[in-house]
Amino acid sequence: MHINGHTVLVTGASSGLGVEFVTQALGRGAAKVYAAARREINHADPRVVPMRLDVTEPDSIAASAKAAPDVDILINNAGILGGSSLLTSPISEIRDVFDTNVFGVLEMTRSFAPTLASRGGGAVVDIASVLSWIAAPGAYSSSKAALWGLTNSLRAELATQGTQVLGAHLSYAATPMTEGVTDAPKLAPDMVVGQILDALEEGADEAIVDDITAAVRASLSTNTTAALPG
């Protein structure tokens, strides 16, 4: 799915990778970019349309779908950390992580799928993580594992309308969300976004951004011949 001449919507566009997605989409010739976040965004480029959006609020999502009937590419970038222990963290905190990282993606995709279909299929990009495949304490890695499965299932369902669904996986990027992570290397946001958008324009199903993620992905079982249960 090429970006040039098309309309892009980026969630979580107020900081981190979201800002970079807006910038690089413009650089690749996007006709319009909806920069969606919980707070309003100011941008000098007239092609940027600020949008107030909370991906955990169904009414907010419905309003965004109504206000943006020309979206060709949906980038589900919004995500949060939290729920450091599945056993002792407040369940409300764990729900917040899943509501943002999983159900927010699902509701955004459900709401915009008809728009994408009406415009020839378009594309959905889900920002997952290397932690989709590594079990770690807390809600974040389990939410990203759920997102990986969700992305794959949505790809199967959206194939009938010609929508490309790209799952992007990476280790830590240097963003405000990871400022508290001090014991791991961090990737440059411009490199991360550049590789993801390259994969999008190449028509890929998956973007593996860095060597750590590639090594973990390669370690997964590739046996696809086993019979499914039942």
Side-chain angles (χ1 to χ4, degrees):
M1 176 74 194
H2 290 288
I3 295 170
N4 185 48
H6 289 108
T7 297
V8 181
L9 189 153
V10 181
T11 67
S14 63
S15 65
L17 295 182
V19 171
E20 195 64 38
F21 273 117
V22 172
T23 299
Q24 291 200 29
L26 294 171
R28 293 177 186 237
K32 183 190 296 183
V33 179
Y34 292 100
R38 291 180 179 177
R39 63 178 179 84
E40 190 165 325
I41 298 166
N42 295 316
H43 201 288
D45 195 304
R47 291 175 292 167
V48 175
V49 179
M51 174 180 286
R52 294 290 288 270
L53 171 65
D54 185 340
V55 300
T56 68
E57 295 290 341
D59 288 347
S60 181
I61 292 174
S64 71
K66 185 176 180 179
D70 54 347
V71 171
D72 300 297
I73 301 169
L74 170 63
I75 300 180
N76 288 310
N77 168 71
I80 62 170
L81 297 172
S84 59
S85 170
L86 292 173
L87 298 177
T88 61
S89 294
I91 194 67
S92 59
E93 189 174 319
I94 294 169
R95 288 186 190 278
D96 285 344
V97 173
F98 275 81
D99 281 345
T100 302
N101 296 356
V102 183
F103 291 106
V105 171
L106 176 58
E107 292 219 36
M108 285 294 295
T109 305
R110 284 165 59 99
S111 293
F112 279 90
T115 297
L116 298 177
S118 72
R119 295 178 64 81
V124 175
V125 180
D126 293 344
I127 309 304
S129 170
V130 66
L131 293 177
S132 301
W133 309 311
I134 300 174
Y140 184 77
S141 70
S142 52
S143 75
K144 291 300 185 178
L147 177 58
W148 179 43
L150 177 73
T151 299
N152 292 337
S153 294
L154 285 171
R155 182 181 302 114
E157 290 201 32
L158 290 171
T160 58
Q161 68 176 45
T163 299
Q164 177 188 355
V165 178
L166 172 66
H169 298 265
L170 59 141
S171 54
Y172 292 113
T175 68
M177 191 172 78
T178 64
E179 284 178 352
V181 179
T182 59
D183 58 350
K186 296 179 185 179
L187 306 168
D190 60 338
M191 182 276 287
V192 170
V193 170
Q195 290 206 29
I196 293 170
L197 295 184
D198 284 347
L200 172 68
E201 296 200 306
E202 290 165 3
D205 290 341
E206 200 165 70
I208 306 299
V209 171
D210 59 286
D211 292 342
I212 292 173
T213 304
V216 174
R217 184 70 176 91
S219 73
L220 301 180
S221 172
T222 57
N223 180 9
T224 60
T225 61
L228 293 174

